Amino acid sequence: MRLSIAAKINFFLLFIFSMVLVFSAAYQAVRERDLILTLIKEQSREQSEAYFDGLNMLMLTGKMDARDTLRNKFLEHAHVEDARIVRGEAVSKQFGPGRATEQSKDEFDELALAGKGSLEVVHDDMHSRLVVTRPLLAKKDFRGTDCTSCHLVPENTVLGAVRFDYSLDSLFTRVEQNILTSALILTSIFGMGLLLTLWVIRTWIVRPLNQLTRSMEEATDQHDFGHRLEGDDGDEIGRVALAYNQMLDSVERQLGKRPTAQGKQDKPQD
Ligand code: HEC
């Protein structure tokens, strides 16, 4: 395959850059999703506690009829898709079945009523959500409240559960946008780097090499050994030019030939 040095180096740089881009994007995606989940799990812990504290206040003050207002307030919170209380059998037996939203609806509710809380990310089709349930047990002393004074059940009976569903879509979309932005920034930095590399290769490698080639061609085609190249021993190509000049000197001496009229000046040619 015939490719210039510049093209080869640029292909190589492009390869390295693509690897860096892919790995950094993947790493960023994993890290940011983790961070979001950690934060929203923390939020869910606080909100489910606050929801139950609010509800408990209503029980203690005999205002349980107003519990829909409490629920609506939590539904207004950011990323909350659904918030509700799942009513346990013990409560239904004593006080009636409650609202339609308070019935057990899926396996997470069932698990919660069996005393097992969940904290799980669920993906269905294009939609991701975090499901949080927290069972509510009848305690003799739940932050100073005796649940069994009103709920006539043995201690540790599951009275119900708090259930929150958080939508993760908008958060995950934001992660994707962040990754896209940083990919664009990386790409433009790389583009500038590539242009700079091209320029450096052209001025420091390609141009001096072209001069050498032209001078060699003139020497062989026209037997004109008078031209000398510009060069210093600062770098490898400069040293090649100096060695070439010395070679021409030596050729001229061996031929016993002084420079011809047309190529007389020892001035370096362009
Ligand atoms: C002052 C009495 C009282 C105390 C104390 C009390 N509750 Fe209740 N609780 C009620 C009443 C009354 C209801 C149901 C009202 C209705 O269905 O109209 C209720 C309902 C519930 C429900 C179902 C709520 C719903 O929306 O379906 C749960 C769960 C519950 N209580 C848990 C607890 C827990 C846990 C404690 C202890 C921290 C507790 N309660 C303490 C009176 C009380």
Side-chain angles (χ1 to χ4, degrees), residues 51-52 55-56 58-62 64-65 67 85-88 91-92 95-99 102 136-139 141-143 145-151 157-162:
Y51 192 2
F52 179 67
L55 190 79
N56 203 210
L58 297 180
M59 296 175 205
L60 294 171
T61 52
M64 275 299 273
D65 283 345
R67 61 185 186 271
I85 299 289
V86 187
R87 182 173 283 228
V91 179
S92 300
F95 298 100
R99 313 264 196 270
E102 288 163 0
L136 303 165
L137 306 187
K139 295 277 180 198
D141 184 9
F142 183 89
R143 291 192 210 129
T145 306
D146 181 3
C147 310
T148 56
S149 66
C150 299
H151 295 282
T157 306
V158 181
L159 294 174
V162 185

Side-chain angles (χ1 to χ4, degrees), residues 84-89 102-118 131-136 158 160-163:
R84 58 198 184 87
I85 299 289
V86 187
R87 182 173 283 228
E89 221 173 69
E102 288 163 0
Q103 310 310 313
S104 163
K105 292 216 166 82
D106 59 12
E107 72 273 27
F108 291 109
D109 291 349
E110 291 300 331
L111 274 175
L113 291 182
K116 197 172 171 305
S118 311
V131 175
V132 182
T133 60
R134 173 191 284 254
L136 303 165
V158 181
V162 185
R163 159 93 182 231

